[in-house]
Amino acid sequence: MRLRLPLRPPLPLRLAVQDMVADRRLSLCQILALAAVLAPLLVLFGLREGVIGTMADRLVRDPANRLIVPVASGGFGADDIAAIAADPRTAFVTPETRAIAAGLARLRNPEARTSISGLAIQPSGQGDPMLGRLPAPAGPDRLVLSRAAAERLQAGPGTALIAEVSRQRGGRFELARLPVTVVGITDGPVRPETAALVHLDLLTATEDFREGLAVPALGWRGDPPPDRPRRYARFRLYASTIYEVEGLAADTARHLGVELRTNGAEIRRMQALDRNLGRVFWMVAGLAGIGCLVALAANLRAQVERKRRDLAVLRLIGFPARALVVVPLTQAAAFAAGALALAGLAYLGLAAALDRVFAGDLAPGERIARLSAEDFGIWAAVTLAAALLAAGWAGARAAGIAPAEGLRDG
């Protein structure tokens, strides 16, 4: 029976490890020096990603930053709204009437004997960020209240309310009433805060009634409505992401020939900060990286020179030149791995401390310093590649040592 011996690492690897163990103080100094460079870079990168990421997340979470509206009233037809909705960059769009018509004279809760005068109403539909996850009102007799409006009316889902719309016609005050039902309470970013989200048909009915026209569908009397396509004074448009806002606004403004208002200045400030922080970080990282690379290369080269006689003896007893190259490469990889481990631990500790310091300014789930596993993996790969590159100079010197140097120095 043949005895199987355990597999052993190749001799150059064993020599590299044994050499590091023998010079463990020097090896530890090498690792600490590398970690001292890497740790601040990891923290800087984590801060950049955390600060910019938090700003971007906040901009993304607030639909107001994706909102695009006309600066002034215009005349937009259904085909204009349909063209905007067909753009893949559009998340939601709805036409709106004139601002003066976008309100109820009063909304009453007969049961609780509460009411709100001059309540703003906003047209809504499926996908409206103001709704949150609630379904859109299915008809003019259904509405969704903002949290502030619901509290003032003491109303909840299923509450029956009375909507009132008033007008002056022919010197007479006229009032139209419509029973409506609350189908939801939204915590979405409704503007103004005290408002109701309604079906577009209720908004157009309110506008027609105030212009003296009849609304047969709701039983409101008045002059016969004109037989012409409806034109809307405004629209409310949301881009799919904050990064699509400026492009969508520019194309829409050019297509409709109107001036549009966006929150693009805030988005541009965030993007400019990202670019500027990126430049500063990569300049600092570049200088630190070059210094680290030179220092590591010089130290490894110095070790080769210090042990030149020992390496020459290895060549003399038949060690190939390429095997000697493996020794500094292995040591450089080991130094890089140890430095990465220490730098990673230092980053985790400092990031946790920074999160505690800034806890009052952060929402749940937000981090002031953010470094993903993917980012750390990239840093590890770059560090290892830089260490091997630095070791190449020492490896080339080791490979160039002639066996005769062992005899000459002996």
Side-chain angles (χ1 to χ4, degrees):
M1 187 174 82
R2 180 178 297 177
L3 180 64
R4 292 188 177 181
L5 297 176
L7 293 176
R8 301 180 66 188
L11 182 57
L13 296 181
R14 298 204 307 273
L15 287 175
V17 173
Q18 289 168 2
D19 183 55
M20 286 189 296
V21 173
D23 288 338
R24 48 186 171 274
R25 291 184 179 178
L26 182 60
S27 299
L28 181 60
C29 290
Q30 290 273 32
I31 292 173
L32 290 174
L34 277 176
V37 175
L38 285 174
L41 291 180
L42 289 178
V43 172
L44 280 176
F45 186 81
L47 284 172
R48 173 179 174 266
E49 292 296 304
V51 171
I52 297 301
T54 297
M55 290 179 62
D57 289 345
R58 289 179 178 179
L59 287 174
V60 169
R61 282 198 303 268
D62 187 357
N65 294 308
R66 297 185 284 119
L67 179 62
I68 302 170
V69 295
V71 172
S73 297
F76 309 106
D79 54 340
D80 296 323
I81 304 301
I84 297 173
D87 193 305
R89 297 169 295 180
T90 297
F92 175 77
V93 63
T94 181
E96 292 185 340
T97 60
R98 292 172 300 156
I100 196 172
L104 300 175
R106 188 168 61 157
L107 184 62
R108 295 190 293 115
N109 184 348
E111 184 177 349
R113 296 184 179 181
T114 56
S115 65
I116 299 177
S117 298
L119 179 70
I121 54 176
Q122 295 269 14
S124 188
Q126 206 58 41
D128 186 353
M130 288 188 180
L131 284 173
R133 297 183 178 181
L134 296 174
D141 60 342
R142 300 285 187 271
L143 53 77
V144 173
L145 293 175
S146 67
R147 180 65 60 183
E151 290 174 353
R152 286 183 58 181
L153 288 169
Q154 299 177 27
T159 302
L161 306 176
I162 303 295
E164 298 179 350
V165 183
S166 62
R167 70 182 177 192
Q168 292 283 344
R169 188 168 73 109
R172 300 191 310 273
F173 176 80
E174 297 180 347
L175 188 67
R177 294 184 176 88
L178 177 69
V180 295
T181 302
V182 178
V183 295
I185 309 298
T186 180
D187 291 309
V190 179
R191 295 291 181 272
E193 290 186 358
T194 304
L197 303 180
V198 302
H199 194 278
L200 179 62
D201 289 350
L202 178 57
L203 203 71
T204 56
T206 301
E207 182 178 51
D208 289 346
F209 182 78
R210 285 187 169 150
E211 289 181 352
L213 303 177
V215 184
L218 301 181
W220 296 349
R221 297 179 180 179
D223 299 332
D227 185 16
R228 64 172 184 267
R230 178 175 291 276
R231 309 291 291 182
Y232 299 97
R234 307 174 63 83
F235 59 83
R236 179 162 55 94
L237 166 63
Y238 291 91
S240 56
T241 71
I242 59 172
Y243 304 104
E244 302 285 6
V245 169
E246 292 204 359
L248 179 59
D251 292 344
T252 302
R254 185 167 53 251
H255 173 69
L256 299 179
V258 295
E259 184 180 356
L260 301 178
R261 182 172 65 246
T262 71
N263 202 20
E266 187 70 23
I267 298 171
R268 287 192 296 271
R269 277 195 293 271
M270 185 273 293
Q271 292 173 329
L273 180 61
D274 186 16
R275 287 192 300 270
N276 294 334
L277 284 178
R279 293 191 186 104
V280 172
F281 171 79
W282 290 116
M283 284 190 293
V284 172
L287 289 173
I290 292 172
C292 181
L293 192 70
V294 171
L296 180 60
N299 286 331
L300 290 172
R301 175 63 182 262
Q303 287 194 51
V304 170
E305 293 294 342
R306 184 165 55 88
K307 298 177 181 179
R308 183 170 55 84
R309 181 179 179 279
D310 298 330
L311 295 174
V313 171
L314 289 175
R315 288 296 313 278
L316 188 63
I317 63 176
F319 228 65
R322 62 178 178 274
L324 293 182
V325 175
V326 174
V327 175
L329 292 178
T330 301
Q331 292 178 341
F335 294 155
L340 279 168
L342 289 179
L345 291 174
Y347 165 79
L348 291 175
L350 188 55
L354 288 172
D355 286 338
R356 286 195 295 271
V357 171
F358 292 96
D361 300 318
L362 299 174
E366 291 182 342
R367 297 287 182 271
I368 196 67
R370 183 187 304 176
L371 187 66
S372 67
E374 181 182 356
D375 291 333
F376 188 80
I378 294 173
W379 272 97
V382 171
T383 301
L384 181 60
L388 294 177
L389 179 64
W393 186 32
R397 178 67 185 97
I401 295 176
E405 294 186 40
L407 294 174
R408 185 171 58 248
D409 295 338

